[in-house]
Amino acid sequence: AQSVAQPEDQVNVAEGNPLTVKCTYSVSGNPYLFWYVQYPNRGLQFLLKYITGDNLVKGSYGFEAEFNKSQTSFHLKKPSALVSDSALYFCAVRDIDYTTSGTYKYIFGTGTRLKVLA
Amino acid sequence: DAGVTQSPTHLIKTRGQQVTLRCSPKSGHDTVSWYQQALGQGPQFIFQYYEEEERQRGNFPDRFSGHQFPNYSSELNVNALLLGDSALYLCASSFLLSGQGAHEQYFGPGTRLTVT
């Protein structure tokens, strides 16, 4: 079964410093990985995805993620954190059901709360 | 271009009652998925609708049912509400390429359901 793990409940970083939010995955076959951000009382906003190709994926709002197959990781990064980046971040893996015309669902991690301190 | 919309925003129900939540997908999308996000947790997949049929289902009881209409909008129905059904219910839409499923899902703002 596909799964992702986010080992940190919370990450604190000073404004202007680089940030990393960790995610590891366990999949059979090629992984389709995603990062989403959730602000208070809001739905999830798509940040970026890895399907295939370059291991460094660029996304929205200056975020990027590094896919590492040997370490089965997909860490979210940003060179310089902003206070407005403070939010809940979710890593997800897509689980495709090839028996039902390729329909799929997302399996989410437990989330990491990022707090950027001014 | 309107994104995914959901109604209502908030809802308070009593144990044992029934509730219907609604979702309109992003323009051009034909697939709708529903997720339950309990407080402090990640979203959990409930089910997915494509071509007006339930295509996949997560580990949720039959009290949870849904429907997709010809215009691709969808409803989530929950019967015999329990206190544990209190959560944020998220709808996500996508465009399903047959046999590939290549596109990311776009989420609505959610419906906050409180069961008392």
Side-chain angles (χ1 to χ4, degrees), chain B residues 13-54:
Chain B
K13 289 286 188 178
T14 304
R15 275 179 298 174
Q17 287 188 317
Q18 179 265 343
V19 69
T20 297
L21 310 181
R22 295 177 175 81
C23 171
S24 291
K26 182 178 170 64
S27 178
H29 285 181
D30 58 8
T31 303
V32 172
S33 301
W34 287 92
Y35 293 81
Q36 181 195 66
Q37 185 179 15
L39 199 60
Q41 297 184 23
Q44 299 289 316
F45 176 76
I46 302 175
F47 43 52
Q48 182 179 80
Y49 277 83
Y50 171 66
E51 292 186 329
E52 302 179 47
E53 290 186 15
E54 183 183 293

Side-chain angles (χ1 to χ4, degrees), chain B residues 17 36 42 45 51 54 69 77 85 93-94 111 115:
Chain B
Q17 287 188 317
Q36 181 195 66
F45 176 76
E51 292 186 329
E54 183 183 293
F69 299 94
N77 300 293
D85 294 333
S93 75
S94 55
T111 293
V115 182

Side-chain angles (χ1 to χ4, degrees), chain A:
Chain A
Q2 322 281 51
S3 66
V4 290
Q6 295 181 244
E8 303 156 318
D9 290 336
Q10 181 159 319
V11 170
N12 295 327
V13 63
E15 188 175 30
N17 282 2
L19 70 86
T20 298
V21 183
K22 296 180 180 177
C23 173
T24 59
Y25 65 88
S26 174
V27 304
S28 54
N30 294 323
Y32 286 27
L33 298 162
F34 302 80
W35 276 102
Y36 282 82
V37 60
Q38 186 175 37
Y39 294 96
N41 300 313
R42 301 289 296 277
L44 276 66
Q45 295 179 32
F46 170 74
L47 282 178
L48 50 78
K49 65 182 176 183
Y50 174 82
I51 305 298
T52 186
D54 289 341
N55 290 340
L56 187 63
V57 179
K58 302 255 184 220
S60 305
Y61 313 119
F63 284 93
E64 56 191 27
E66 185 172 9
F67 172 72
N68 188 316
K69 188 172 183 178
S70 62
Q71 297 186 5
T72 62
S73 66
F74 187 56
H75 299 333
L76 181 70
K77 299 174 186 257
K78 187 173 183 182
S80 179
L82 301 172
V83 172
S84 57
D85 293 331
S86 298
L88 192 55
Y89 289 81
F90 289 99
C91 178
V93 63
R94 190 170 63 195
D95 185 12
I96 299 176
D97 183 350
Y98 290 102
T99 65
T100 57
S101 302
T103 60
Y104 57 90
K105 63 188 180 200
Y106 280 23
I107 298 170
F108 286 85
T110 51
T112 298
R113 187 164 301 282
L114 173 67
K115 186 174 278 190
V116 181
L117 307 170

